[in-house]
Each structure stands twice: as structure tokens, then as C-alpha cells.
Amino acid sequence: MIPGSPASVRHAPTLRAAYLVVGVLVTITSGLGTALVSANLPQIQGALGLTPVEGAWLPAAYVMVNLSANLVLFKARQQFGIRLFAEVALVAYLAVTALHLFIDDYPTALLVRGAAGFVGAPLSSLGFYYVMQGFPKHLLGNSIVVALGLTQLALPIAWLLSPALLDLGDWQTLYVFEFALAICTLAAVITLKLPPGIRIRVIERTDFLTFALVAPAFGLIAGVLAQGRLQWWSEQPWMAAALIAAMALLLAAFHIEHHRTNPLIQTRWIGTAEVARFVIAALAFRLILSEQSFAATGLLRTLGMGPDQFGLFYLVIIAGVLAGVAIGAATFGPKTMMPMAIVSIVLVLVASLMDSASTSDTRPNTMMVSQFLMAMASALVMAPLILNGVMSALKRGPDHIVTFVILFTMTQSAGSLLGPALYGTVQQYREHEYSGQLTSHVDPSEPVVAQRLAIQRQVYAARVTDPVLGGAQGTALLQQSVTREANVRAYNDIFRLNAAITFIFLIWCLWRVGVQLRAARNAPPPPPAPAAAGSQM
């Protein structure tokens, strides 16, 4: 159907099962590298001697390059074929993963993370194609639900495996595991090749000019989103300059594409209402789903939970993703796509409201139900979202698929930074507000406060004999308690904010459903089919 995709071949059941297994392996491998960095960023920062600002550039470097990688990789797949594309992509990924094993300085780590963002882009689509080969043709839609749902497993698997891997050595042990997994994936892909597809000559020299303009623009935007809450938005003039430069580069790229005979980006389609609605929906979904990766995990880590306490928590999240995949694949159909999306939004709303009552006694086991619902929603929502976009693009022609891929990748990658940037900013602001409010009511002359300070001093009484120093230590311990309570209240505000955004998004979706139903009712009936002409004697 689309050049660069593998042919749709009728396979034997055992061969379909083999394709499905390889698809799961490729999908997990494609997302594991960046998930390992996100889950173990504090350990990596400590090993390399980095500040939090420097450490934040590591995951950002991946996203900065990954954002624009599909811009040229999609056409490369069309021109050189899916088999060659798959093997070259995996060899490149293996080489970049091997470089992680020899990293001992910060600049090299940044370079390797950027390269991983580029070579990791084709692996996600490669896993997608392998999973699709594991299903009969009449279950194409169901296979898409499974393929997209499996992409949600990389982060919880990284959290689940990291403690055991770190026990075997330092942080580079994580990359030894990823390197071994990449070798297994390469062997599997070479052994079980995808069916060949159609190849067409599509790459033009102007494509590289567009990429040279769009790639740094996306990189600048990603850099600002990654560093905004750490360096603070209004304190760094370079952020404003970066956004201005990004807008200028994008305008130049769009001007070139608008006047090309065979554009890489369909600028006329981007300006339509249907694309605007798709971008809003894709960004909104990515934003509200970041409640799990940023807010829930951030709250538990603030309360002192480490990787060892997250084992069962992330097993529950994996179970939620698998449950969402199973339900979505079993119920998928043209009439269930919108209900699946609405059910996903409702699940996120319920989960956010459940988490908004967190306290300093909250532990992973108290959030398992809400995070199970959130994980199920993340698996249910992706297929309706991407299928709506693909169908809209195909209605206008296969040449619009590149534009759709760019839009979808941009919304998901940028959304993964937008959620922490927005919610992290609000959380820091609210934490400072609550800390000020709580501290203002702490008067040492009040009996309750004096009693609490005395209790805090007793913690150090056996080790600190100096009463002045003991009092200072007790006061510092009370301040830590105040900061913890302020953080809990701030995270509760994040959960409520996420619930509010989700509710507004739900109302918008229901309104769009009403508009579509009304348009379908008012549409003129199709003309009757002409009667077959009888044979003339």
C-alpha cells in the first residue's frame, strides 16, 4: 500500500508466531536505551560527575536528534528497501550501543546519545512491521493495536531490570545488557527477514536542505523544553534566542517545501483544520499520560522510594499495558476507535483524581490501581490516534504519509519533554509557595512547634552532645519534613491539573463526536445505484 513497507504475505501459523516474537524483541530493543538513561539518570550523573543541568542534556540529546530522524529515514526506506534498511539500521544501532561501553567523559556521552536518537528511529518502525507480519491480513487493525501498545513497555521494563543490573556492576552494566539485546535482535532480523516491498526513487537533493533546516529547529525547541525548568525560563536569554532561531529555520523550511514540485512536507495540508485537530489530540494525549512517568514516579522518589521499592509497582504497570493491548486488540474496529479513545481519557481522569489525595505516607502499593488504569489507557489510545491520522493522510495520497510521520513523531517526542517541562515548572512554583506558607506558621515559641523541635533534637541526642548543634540539626530535620510536605501538596496540585486538562480534553472529544454525528445525519443520501441493463434480443 505504501512504498517502503514490507509486502503483505500469507504466512504459516508457526512463521507468524516467529514474526511476532521478533517484533516484540525489536520493539523492546528500540526503546530500551533511552528508557535506561531516564530510569538511571542520577547514577549516570554521579558516575560522570555531572550537575542536574548537565545530566538533563543526556536524554534531551536523544530526543533532539530523534525528532527529525524520520524526516529522511522514511524516504530512505522507500528507496533502498525494507530489508537493507532494517539490517543497516540495526548494525548502526549496535555500533552506537557498543560506544556506550567505552564512555568515560561527558562530551562523548552526549555525542553517543544523539547518535542513538538517530539510529533508534528506524527500529520503532521495524518492530511495528514485524508485529504486523505476525497477524493475518484481516486482523491488520488488531496488529496495529498490539504494535503500538508494545512501545509502552520499554520504560517499565527498564525500571524493573535496572536494580538487578546495577547490582552486577556500575552504570555501564546497563549498556552491556542493551548491547547483548541488540546483538540478539540483529541475529533475529537477519535470520527472519521481512518480505520485500516496493522500492521507488524518491530522494531528492532538496530533501537534505529541508532536513538541514528542520533538524536544528527541532533540536533547539527540544533543548529549551528540556532545560527550561532547570535553568528557569526567564533567567536564560539563550532560550529566547533559541526559540526565535527555531521559528526562523522552520519558516525557511516551510517556504522551500511550499514551492517544491515534490515536497517532503505537505505545507498546504498542515494548515488544514483536520491536521490542527490531530496535533492538538496527539499533544494532549502525550501531556496527560506524562502523569505516570513524571508526577507519580516523581512523588514516590521525593518520598524516598528507590529502584528496589519499584519492582512490584512497575510489574503492575506492565500488566496494565498488556491488559490495554489485549482489550484494544479484541475490540478493535472502525466503530470502536472513538469509544476506545474516550475510554482512555476517562481512565486517565479517574487515575489522576485517585492520585490527587496523596500524602507523605503514600507508597508504591497505594498507587498501583491508579497506575494500572493509566497504563491501560496508554495502550488503548495510540491505535485510534495513529489510524485516524494515517487515514486522513491516505485520503490525500501516499505522498502525505511522510508529513503525517513527521507530525506524529514530533508530537510524541516533543510531548515527552512538554509534560515534564510544564508540570515540573508548576510543581516547583507550588512547592515554593507551600514551603513559604508552612514555614510562616512555624513559631518556636508555640508549644506544639517547641515539642516537635524537641522530638527532632532527640534523634541526634546520642551522637551530638553540643545542645546548640543538636538544636540546629533538629531544626534542619523539621525543615526537611516541611519541604517533603510542600512537595506532596505540589504533586497533588499536578494531579489535579492533569485531571482538569483531561476533563477539558474529554469535553472537546465528546463535542467533536457530536459534530461528526450531526454531519452524518445531515449528509445527503447516496445516489441510488443504476439498475443493470437487461440483455436486448
Side-chain angles (χ1 to χ4, degrees), residues 64-200:
M64 290 166 73
V65 179
N66 186 263
L67 262 171
S68 52
N70 281 301
L71 196 65
V72 292
L73 293 176
F74 189 88
K75 279 197 168 185
R77 188 167 71 239
Q78 290 181 315
Q79 182 155 326
F80 300 110
I82 187 66
R83 286 182 172 180
L84 179 62
F85 178 82
E87 293 171 8
V88 170
L90 265 169
V91 170
Y93 185 81
L94 192 63
V96 170
T97 306
L99 287 176
H100 281 96
L101 306 179
F102 304 100
I103 291 175
D104 56 3
D105 62 354
Y106 180 55
T108 307
L110 281 177
L111 180 63
V112 172
R113 292 312 303 155
F118 189 84
V119 300
L123 289 191
S124 56
S125 58
L126 190 61
F128 187 87
Y129 288 133
Y130 267 97
V131 170
M132 289 175 66
Q133 293 293 321
F135 286 79
K137 190 173 182 179
H138 67 278
L139 296 178
L140 175 65
N142 309 74
S143 69
I144 293 175
V145 175
V146 174
L148 291 170
L150 290 175
T151 61
Q152 309 298 314
L153 290 175
L155 186 59
I157 288 176
W159 275 98
L160 196 62
L161 296 179
S162 291
L165 293 173
L166 289 173
D167 286 343
L168 298 175
D170 58 12
W171 63 275
Q172 288 180 319
T173 308
L174 304 170
Y175 291 111
V176 173
F177 175 77
E178 187 189 3
F179 180 73
L181 196 62
I183 290 177
C184 295
T185 304
L186 179 61
V189 168
I190 292 176
T191 304
L192 184 62
K193 297 181 181 292
L194 287 170
I198 300 172
R199 290 192 295 171
I200 58 175

Side-chain angles (χ1 to χ4, degrees), residues 280-319:
I280 291 172
L283 279 175
F285 272 123
R286 180 50 60 190
L287 177 64
I288 62 177
L289 290 175
S290 64
E291 190 260 32
Q292 184 171 80
S293 59
F294 172 77
T297 303
L299 171 63
L300 293 174
R301 292 177 81 168
T302 299
L303 292 175
M305 301 298 104
D308 293 336
Q309 286 81 34
F310 281 125
L312 184 59
F313 180 76
Y314 279 102
L315 275 177
V316 169
I317 290 178
I318 291 173

Side-chain angles (χ1 to χ4, degrees), residues 185-533:
T185 304
L186 179 61
V189 168
I190 292 176
T191 304
L192 184 62
K193 297 181 181 292
L194 287 170
I198 300 172
R199 290 192 295 171
I200 58 175
R201 190 176 182 85
V202 290
I203 296 179
E204 302 176 4
R205 285 182 295 180
T206 315
D207 293 338
F208 296 99
L209 175 59
T210 300
F211 180 78
L213 293 171
V214 172
F218 285 164
L220 290 171
I221 294 172
V224 171
L225 290 177
Q227 293 292 330
R229 67 188 179 93
L230 294 174
Q231 300 190 37
W232 205 247
W233 309 93
S234 58
E235 298 296 324
Q236 299 295 330
W238 71 264
M239 294 186 185
L243 292 177
I244 293 171
M247 294 301 106
L249 290 169
L250 288 176
L251 286 174
F254 282 10
H255 176 77
I256 293 171
E257 292 297 301
H258 193 75
H259 294 91
R260 285 181 63 183
T261 305
N262 299 309
L264 183 65
I265 303 173
Q266 301 291 337
T267 55
R268 291 171 178 82
W269 183 50
I270 286 180
T272 61
E274 64 177 345
V275 172
R277 288 194 293 268
F278 170 78
V279 171
I280 291 172
L283 279 175
F285 272 123
R286 180 50 60 190
L287 177 64
I288 62 177
L289 290 175
S290 64
E291 190 260 32
Q292 184 171 80
S293 59
F294 172 77
T297 303
L299 171 63
L300 293 174
R301 292 177 81 168
T302 299
L303 292 175
M305 301 298 104
D308 293 336
Q309 286 81 34
F310 281 125
L312 184 59
F313 180 76
Y314 279 102
L315 275 177
V316 169
I317 290 178
I318 291 173
V321 171
L322 295 178
V325 169
I327 294 171
T331 61
F332 181 81
K335 295 183 179 179
T336 61
M337 284 199 300
M338 185 55 74
M340 281 171 61
I342 291 176
V343 168
S344 301
I345 300 172
V346 172
L347 290 176
V348 175
L349 178 60
V350 171
S352 297
L353 291 175
M354 291 176 65
D355 291 338
S356 64
S358 298
T359 67
S360 57
D361 294 327
T362 296
R363 295 297 180 265
N365 63 302
T366 60
M367 302 184 78
M368 285 182 182
V369 174
S370 63
Q371 295 311 302
F372 180 88
L373 298 178
M374 187 71 70
M376 187 185 298
S378 69
L380 280 174
V381 75
M382 297 305 294
L385 180 66
I386 196 170
L387 284 174
N388 266 327
V390 167
M391 288 188 294
S392 299
L394 287 178
K395 287 178 185 176
R396 295 176 175 263
D399 56 340
H400 285 64
I401 289 294
V402 180
T403 305
F404 164 75
V405 170
I406 295 168
L407 288 174
F408 182 75
T409 305
M410 180 189 69
T411 55
Q412 298 309 291
S413 298
S416 66
L417 293 176
L418 179 63
L422 173 62
Y423 289 160
T425 301
V426 175
Q427 192 273 335
Q428 287 185 30
Y429 177 78
R430 296 302 296 163
E431 189 272 330
H432 288 306
E433 290 290 317
Y434 285 128
S435 291
Q437 293 175 13
L438 293 173
T439 305
S440 64
H441 296 292
V442 176
D443 185 358
S445 61
E446 292 185 3
V448 175
V449 177
Q451 183 184 15
R452 180 64 181 269
L453 287 172
I455 294 173
Q456 301 286 15
R457 282 194 294 269
Q458 290 176 6
V459 175
Y460 298 97
R463 290 172 292 175
V464 180
T465 57
D466 186 344
V468 176
L469 183 57
Q473 294 282 10
T475 303
L477 197 59
L478 179 60
Q479 182 61 44
Q480 291 177 10
S481 301
V482 169
T483 302
R484 184 185 65 243
E485 293 299 325
N487 272 299
V488 170
R489 293 189 183 187
Y491 274 110
N492 282 339
D493 285 351
I494 297 300
F495 295 132
R496 296 187 189 102
L497 175 61
N498 198 66
I501 294 173
T502 305
F503 181 73
I504 294 171
F505 186 38
L506 176 62
I507 297 300
W508 181 73
C509 288
L510 293 175
W511 174 73
R512 286 300 309 163
V513 170
V515 169
Q516 293 174 0
L517 292 175
R518 188 165 57 251
R521 266 198 319 268
N522 297 334

